[in-house]
Amino acid sequence: MENCIFCKIASGEIPSATLYEDEDFRVILDLGPATKGHALILPKKHAANIAEMPDDLLGRAASVAKKVAVAMKEGLSCDGVNIVQNNGEAAGQTVFHFHMHIIPRYNGDNAGVTWTPGKLTDEMKEEILNAVKVK
Ligand code: 5GP
Ligand code: ZN
C-alpha cells in the first residue's frame, strides 16, 4: 500500500528498532511506548484491520505474539503482558495497517490499559445475544 507508514516499516524501507522478523511479520518497538518494551507486530502484507486479515496470517500473528510475550518475560522481567489490537478510530486505531500491541506490564506501572466496568442488564444481554451472529 502506497503511503502506508507501517508497510514501509514492515518491508524495511523505513528503518526501525526490530525485535523479531520472519517471512510474514516484523516486530518493532513502539515510538510512543506505554511501558518499557512496548512492541508492535506488523504483518508485511497490508491489511487495514482484523477483518481484512487472512485467517492463516492472523493465526500466525497470535503465535508471534506468544513468542514475543515469552521473550519479554525472560528479557525484561516484566510481571505481566497485555496484548491489545485496535480496530477503527472509535477503538483508538490511529494507523490503519493491522498491528498488535504487546505491552509488558510491571507491578504498579499505571499504564492504564483498562476501562471502567459497566453492568450487563438482562435487556442488554437479550438484545446482544439476538443481534450478534458469529458465523
Ligand atoms: P493504534 O493507536 O493505531 O493502535 O497504534 C498505533 C501505534 O503506533 C501507537 O502506539 C504509536 O505510538 C505507534 N507508531 C505510530 N507511528 C509510528 C512509527 O513511525 N514508528 C513506530 N515504531 N511506532 C509508531
Ligand atoms: Zn500498510
Side-chain angles (χ1 to χ4, degrees):
M1 246 280 274
E2 239 175 276
N3 291 327
C4 171
I5 180 101
F6 281 2
C7 276
K8 290 180 181 161
I9 292 173
S11 71
E13 184 185 334
I14 294 177
S16 61
T18 295
L19 277 179
Y20 172 82
E21 185 182 3
D22 65 21
E23 209 183 316
D24 299 312
F25 300 98
R26 183 186 293 273
V27 181
I28 64 168
L29 294 182
D30 195 299
L31 275 187
T35 62
K36 178 181 160 190
H38 182 166
L40 300 171
I41 300 177
L42 312 180
K44 292 185 175 178
K45 280 205 188 102
H46 183 87
N49 52 45
I50 194 167
E52 290 189 5
M53 279 288 279
D55 285 352
D56 58 338
L57 195 58
L58 194 55
R60 290 204 287 284
S63 298
V64 173
K66 175 180 165 183
K67 282 196 236 240
V68 174
V70 168
M72 281 174 171
K73 274 224 143 208
E74 285 172 5
L76 298 172
S77 302
C78 56
D79 303 301
V81 177
N82 287 119
I83 297 177
V84 177
Q85 199 276 306
N86 299 326
N87 297 281
E89 224 173 303
Q93 186 176 11
T94 58
V95 180
F96 294 88
H97 175 124
F98 175 94
H99 52 280
M100 291 168 85
H101 295 260
I102 314 294
I103 306 173
R105 299 301 304 272
Y106 306 91
N107 290 332
D109 66 21
N110 291 318
V113 186
T114 186
W115 57 85
T116 307
K119 191 160 173 41
L120 181 63
T121 62
D122 286 342
E123 291 87 342
M124 194 67 86
K125 188 163 63 185
E126 283 311 307
E127 183 188 330
I128 297 163
L129 292 177
N130 284 321
V132 181
K133 300 298 173 203
V134 182
K135 289 166 203 141

